[in-house]
Amino acid sequence: MRGRAGRIWKKYTGGSKMAAAGCAILALWIILAIAVPLFGPWSWSEQNAEIRNQTSSLAHWFGTDRFGRDLFARVWYGAGLSLFIGIVSALINGGIGVMYGAVCGYAGGKTDMLLMRAADIISSIPSMLYVILITLVMGAGAGSIILGLCVAGWISMARIVRGEIIRLKEADYACAARMEGIPPLRILVRHLLPNAAGPILVNLIFLVPQAVFTEAFLSFLGVGIAAPAASLGTIIQEARSQMILYPYQMIWPLLVLCVMILALNMIGTAVEEKTGGRRGWSE
């Protein structure tokens, strides 16, 4: 890598082999998730009763399901949808968490106490329950799942950012900036948040596999993505009834899901080791 991208890579990963392997796996995974549904010879949703429950072959690499749909195209379509939900929800949760935690940490006092107690009340209800309730009210779909994941998913990021800001705002450069009369917002944006970038980036990366796993679990329970769309969790749930006779219908989507989560965790772990771990949990 060269230029700015190369400097950022070395800063947060140290050029580690684990991060490089994770990025390579994830890049290949994303290419397949985009290219297979768009350019593959088979549709992810087209049914064909003549080729139901076929095993892997040159024509159908992952075989076919009970409706005669090509599993290779279907799995990679579901992979793209699952990753989309994971990335969008992680970015929203990360953005809300950074802003909320920064305000709490910098303001301190009663403002901090009131805002964090409000966050504690929201987090007292399991996040899975929020997702289930919203999907039941709004209907199963990517939008309702993302909304459900974002109700309380930002709180862990807010706590981490809050702890980092509390630690950093007492640093000499922050005190000097306040003495010069620099506005608090500028101090936060220009001085404090950039120095908290390591823990923020680590937790942002880990939010993606967490959201993907939650979506897959909910779809497996039957309250996630609705037909005709299909995520990895939906495909695994559909294969459950066929598991004894046709185990490959469940193995392939499970394998793709595990590889993606493994790649993201490899990248997150490498960044975490470089930046000194996830800090800022203190209240």
Side-chain angles (χ1 to χ4, degrees), residues 51-267:
I51 55 172
R52 291 184 300 170
N53 297 319
Q54 290 190 359
T55 56
S56 300
S57 64
L58 291 177
H60 304 281
W61 289 7
F62 288 178
T64 60
D65 64 7
R66 57 180 175 173
F67 297 109
R69 297 174 296 195
D70 181 72
L71 274 178
F72 187 73
R74 192 163 175 79
V75 164
W76 287 112
Y77 170 84
L81 183 56
S82 295
L83 186 62
F84 170 78
I85 292 172
I87 291 176
V88 171
S89 62
L91 290 175
I92 295 173
N93 284 326
I96 296 173
V98 168
M99 291 187 293
Y100 197 95
V103 171
C104 292
Y106 194 84
K110 292 183 178 180
T111 301
D112 178 31
M113 183 187 70
L114 290 173
L115 290 176
M116 290 311 298
R117 295 298 75 80
D120 290 340
I121 293 172
I122 295 173
S123 64
S124 64
I125 301 175
S127 59
M128 195 80 71
L129 185 59
Y130 286 120
V131 182
I132 293 174
L133 290 175
I134 289 175
T135 53
L136 290 176
V137 173
M138 297 180 57
S144 57
I145 289 179
I146 291 172
L147 179 60
L149 290 171
C150 294
V151 173
W154 52 271
I155 293 177
S156 61
M157 177 68 82
R159 288 172 175 162
I160 289 165
V161 174
R162 171 185 175 273
E164 286 296 298
I165 297 301
I166 290 174
R167 180 178 66 86
L168 293 171
K169 74 177 183 179
E170 301 302 328
D172 291 341
Y173 62 86
C175 294
R178 287 195 295 271
M179 291 176 64
E180 291 179 5
I182 298 176
L185 181 61
R186 186 176 179 184
I187 294 174
L188 274 173
V189 174
R190 295 291 298 274
H191 300 287
L192 300 184
L193 287 177
N195 283 285
I200 291 174
L201 181 59
V202 170
N203 286 274
L204 186 62
I205 294 172
F206 281 118
L207 280 175
V208 179
Q210 178 183 337
V212 170
F213 180 81
T214 302
E215 181 278 321
F217 179 72
L218 289 171
S219 295
F220 180 76
L221 294 179
V223 292
I225 301 297
S231 68
L232 291 175
T234 305
I235 298 170
I236 294 170
Q237 194 275 337
E238 291 175 349
R240 183 174 58 176
S241 60
Q242 306 280 92
M243 184 172 58
I244 302 299
L245 296 175
Y246 310 104
Y248 66 90
Q249 295 182 11
M250 180 175 285
I251 291 174
W252 286 118
L254 275 173
L255 183 61
V256 171
L257 177 64
C258 290
V259 168
M260 191 267 290
I261 292 177
L262 175 63
L264 287 167
N265 277 284
M266 288 170 66
I267 297 170

